[in-house]
Amino acid sequence: TRPETMLGDTAIAVNPKDKRYKELIGKTALLPLVGRSIPIIGDDMVDAINKYECHFNCNIGWGRYDEINYRCFETIGCGTLLLTSAANEYSELGFVDGKNCLIYNSIDEIYEKVDFINNNDCSHIAKAGLELSKAHTYDKRVASLIELYRSM
């Protein structure tokens, strides 16, 4: 877990195939700052994301610099609704708030977006995110790099 997501954390997911964490599955951990115990669960991340209705993401360095977390692509690739912090790179990559993901710019907007999710069917946004993910395959990225190289 990361400091900026701790207040919303409900569990710590570890890969059940990783020997380092196997003994921790089923135990609890004390969440710093609030002193709340949360369970440690064994779940492969992609399997876990496939179970989510919505994945809450806070990009690395939110508010200080733009760096998109790769988990955003895993999330939309699983057909799961993405709720993520703003980053300038999103528009260049085809992410559009309210169309194929939900993007927040402040703590207040997180509350607004969560309220929106709770009171609306957002499956069309998740489906549009899945379609966007198809534009970001390795084959397509390599083809664009080759095209860029040839244009030099």
Side-chain angles (χ1 to χ4, degrees):
T1 191
R2 298 193 331 252
E4 61 269 29
T5 65
M6 281 185 181
L7 295 176
D9 287 347
T10 58
I12 297 173
V14 298
N15 187 336
K17 297 173 188 159
D18 191 323
K19 292 181 272 186
R20 298 174 296 169
Y21 305 114
K22 209 167 195 122
E23 291 181 24
L24 297 174
I25 297 171
K27 296 184 178 176
T28 59
L30 190 62
L31 194 58
L33 305 174
V34 292
R36 180 169 38 99
S37 289
I38 56 174
I40 299 171
I41 60 173
D43 217 344
D44 175 83
M45 199 60 193
V46 171
D47 288 343
I49 291 171
N50 275 301
K51 294 174 188 174
Y52 302 161
E53 187 173 323
C54 176
H55 180 84
F56 173 74
N57 179 68
C58 184
N59 289 306
I60 301 164
W62 178 46
R64 294 184 302 276
Y65 54 90
D66 285 339
E67 189 169 317
I68 296 176
N69 186 326
Y70 71 90
R71 184 90 5 98
C72 295
F73 291 98
E74 290 177 343
T75 299
I76 64 171
C78 288
T80 299
L81 177 64
L82 173 65
L83 171 59
T84 188
S85 58
N88 289 331
E89 292 178 3
Y90 277 131
S91 60
E92 295 171 26
L93 296 170
F95 288 85
V96 179
D97 182 40
K99 180 181 177 188
N100 51 33
C101 65
L102 296 174
I103 300 172
Y104 61 88
N105 291 288
S106 68
I107 301 296
D108 288 338
E109 275 193 8
I110 294 171
Y111 290 109
E112 292 170 16
K113 302 285 182 171
V114 168
D115 189 49
F116 177 81
I117 293 165
N118 286 332
N119 292 302
N120 295 279
D121 176 9
C122 296
S123 60
H124 65 286
I125 299 172
K127 286 178 187 170
L130 178 60
E131 289 304 310
L132 173 62
S133 74
K134 294 174 183 176
H136 293 281
T137 64
Y138 285 116
D139 289 343
K140 290 183 180 186
R141 288 180 176 241
V142 168
S144 69
L145 287 172
I146 291 171
E147 185 179 319
L148 179 64
Y149 176 74
R150 286 183 178 155
S151 70
M152 296 177 146

